[in-house]
Amino acid sequence: MNTLGDMNQRISTYRVPLRQFSVPLSATCRGARLARLLATEKLLAWELPLDPARLIVAELATNAALHGRVPGRSFRLALSVVPPRTLRIELTDTRGDRHPR
């Protein structure tokens, strides 16, 4: 029969370190550049390939800054790693109130 301590030990053995990063950035050219630089730093820290991920981040961030700009609102860059080594890139622009045609 397993004790609660044995069960907790087994559960903690299977934990996978979760890699997540999320930051709001200004919807400007400067914010788009910062998104690319921050993504590059995270990819290096997580020992993941830089390209094409940083190019995708650069394109999405530039689009958010140029086409989704609303004064006083920012966009959010989110990166996460799904085991074993799948990178998820999310960029939410400021135009949530208006969808493209």
Side-chain angles (χ1 to χ4, degrees):
M1 179 149 88
N2 291 332
T3 65
L4 185 56
D6 291 336
M7 202 178 312
N8 285 339
Q9 179 63 34
R10 259 188 279 131
I11 290 171
S12 65
T13 304
Y14 296 109
R15 285 189 185 163
V16 176
L18 190 56
R19 296 176 180 171
Q20 291 185 323
F21 174 75
S22 178
V23 63
L25 298 162
S26 63
T28 62
C29 291
R30 188 178 202 178
R33 180 175 183 273
L34 185 55
R36 182 181 51 82
L37 294 173
L38 290 170
T40 299
E41 288 300 315
K42 282 298 168 189
L43 292 168
L44 288 170
W46 294 341
E47 299 178 350
L48 293 172
L50 294 179
D51 292 323
R54 70 177 164 179
L55 301 173
I56 293 168
V57 169
E59 180 69 21
L60 293 174
T62 299
N63 286 346
L66 293 177
H67 305 296
R69 190 172 189 178
V70 174
R73 290 172 61 186
S74 59
F75 68 89
R76 176 169 297 281
L77 168 65
L79 304 172
S80 58
V81 177
V82 179
R85 288 174 52 94
T86 302
L87 177 67
R88 180 181 176 120
I89 301 170
E90 296 178 56
L91 201 129
T92 307
D93 67 21
T94 59
R95 295 302 294 257
D97 57 322
R98 196 174 101 191
H99 299 287
R101 288 182 226 164

